Amino acid sequence: MRKPCCDKEGTNKGAWSKQEDQKLIDYIRNHGEGCWRSLPKAAGLDRCGKSCRLRWINYLRPDIKRGNFGQDEEDLIIKLHALLGNRWSLIAGRLPGRTDNEVKNYWNSHIRRKLISMGIDPNNHRLNQIPSRPQPKCDVSAAATSSESMNNERKPLKSFGKIDRPVSDGASSSLEDEMPGSLDLNLDLTIAFPSSPPVTLVEEKRQSSKSTGTREILLESEPAPTLILF
DNA sequence: AACTTATTCAACCGCGACTTT
DNA sequence: TAAAGTCGCGGTTGAATAAGT
C-alpha cells in the first residue's frame, strides 16, 4: 500500500520563510503544479505537501490579486454566498485573482459584520426584522434569493458533480414566500456541472421556483447543464 | 507609554470525495 | 471490491497588528 501523505514528524510548520517560498516558486516554475505529495522532497522543502499546496494557492501564485476588495467584488461575494452558501472555493472561482481563503476571511471579518449591523442574518441572508424591512444601502438583494442552504449547520457539499446538496434546497419556499418581488439579482451566474445533475435536483428547483415566479432557475439535464440565475 | 481589546489573515486540522492499488 | 492514499475544501486557530483606554 501507499505511504501516508506526509509524516507529521519532522516537517516544518508555521510561517513560511522567504527561502522556503523561493524554493516552492522555483520548483513550480520549473515543474508546474501537481503531485503535492512528492513536491516537498523534490523541491527540497521540509514541509507537508498539503502545506505547500496551501502556500502556493493562497499566497505565492502569480495571478493572485492582493489588496482590498472592491465594492463590486463585495457585492458579488454577497450574492454568491446567498446562492452557494459557504462554498468558498466556488465563490472565489467567480472572483479572478481571489482565493477561497481570502474570500472566506473577508466574509468573516467584513461582510458578515456588515450584514449583521444592517439587521441581516449572514447565515441565511434574511432580515431579522421582517415587519419594517428597510432597504439596505449595500446591494444585498441577493440575500433574499437565499435559501436554507445558507444555514451553516447544513452538511457541506463536497463534490459539486454529485449535488447531494442543492444550490438552494427545496426548503427555500418559505423564504421566497416571505420575500416576494425582492429578487433583483441582476446576476448572470452560470455554473457548469462536471456531470449531469440528478433529476431530483432539477425537479426540486422547478418546484420551488414555480410557486414564486420571482427567480428563474434553469437546470437542465443536458450534456452541458448549467445553472442560470437572474 | 503601557496595557488591553479587537481585528486581520496566514496556516493548520479534520473530513469527505475521489483515485489508485 | 475493499482498503489505503491523495487531494481539495471548509472550519478553526493563533500570531501579528491596530485601535482604544
Side-chain angles (χ1 to χ4, degrees):
Chain A
M1 278 301 166
R2 302 178 192 180
K3 286 185 277 182
C5 153
C6 54
D7 48 352
K8 304 215 169 186
E9 315 273 327
T11 53
N12 276 352
K13 277 187 171 185
W16 280 62
S17 68
K18 293 227 171 195
Q19 290 87 346
E20 285 179 309
D21 280 348
Q22 200 52 55
K23 277 183 184 176
L24 184 55
I25 291 167
D26 289 344
Y27 183 86
I28 291 178
R29 263 193 203 138
N30 293 330
H31 301 89
E33 288 182 48
C35 201
W36 296 108
R37 187 200 172 294
S38 58
L39 186 148
K41 198 177 178 186
L45 285 161
D46 196 15
R47 290 272 180 178
C48 168
K50 216 171 174 179
S51 178
C52 294
R53 178 184 158 272
L54 206 69
R55 181 66 176 170
W56 174 255
I57 288 174
N58 286 335
Y59 200 82
L60 298 175
R61 245 173 39 194
D63 57 328
I64 284 179
K65 191 204 283 187
R66 309 206 73 83
N68 293 341
F69 282 73
Q71 186 59 51
D72 53 336
E73 287 180 300
E74 188 175 315
D75 290 346
L76 189 53
I77 291 169
I78 293 167
K79 287 174 179 174
L80 289 168
H81 187 270
L83 289 161
L84 303 167
N86 293 1
R87 276 177 281 172
W88 306 114
S89 62
L90 281 177
I91 294 173
R94 305 288 303 184
L95 293 154
R98 301 295 188 183
T99 69
D100 53 355
N101 208 33
E102 202 176 8
V103 171
K104 179 172 58 182
N105 283 334
Y106 189 71
W107 173 269
N108 286 326
S109 61
H110 291 89
I111 302 177
R112 202 166 180 279
R113 197 169 308 142
K114 192 170 173 179
L115 293 183
I116 289 168
S117 73
M118 292 163 67
I120 296 166
D121 185 338
N123 293 326
N124 58 20
H125 294 246
R126 297 167 72 166
L127 287 167
N128 287 332
Q129 308 94 337
I130 300 293
S132 58
R133 197 181 299 171
Q135 283 295 322
K137 271 190 221 164
C138 164
D139 182 5
V140 292
S141 55
T145 68
S146 148
S147 71
E148 310 243 334
S149 71
M150 270 94 257
N151 189 333
N152 277 347
E153 289 174 20
R154 73 186 183 282
K155 231 185 153 199
L157 175 65
K158 290 293 186 177
S159 167
F160 203 61
K162 209 172 165 186
I163 317 281
D164 57 352
R165 183 189 63 192
V167 169
S168 306
D169 338 292
S172 64
S173 54
S174 66
L175 169 62
E176 290 171 352
D177 290 342
E178 265 182 22
M179 311 284 284
S182 58
L183 303 169
D184 182 21
L185 260 176
N186 190 25
L187 175 64
D188 177 11
L189 178 67
T190 304
I191 298 169
F193 292 91
S195 59
S196 298
V199 177
T200 52
L201 174 62
V202 178
E203 288 307 313
E204 225 175 76
K205 291 294 124 192
R206 283 182 183 148
Q207 296 244 332
S208 65
S209 61
K210 191 165 40 176
S211 58
T212 64
T214 53
R215 175 175 47 171
E216 287 275 340
I217 296 176
L218 211 72
L219 274 173
E220 300 293 347
S221 328
E222 286 169 6
T226 55
L227 165 65
I228 301 170
L229 296 105
F230 298 101

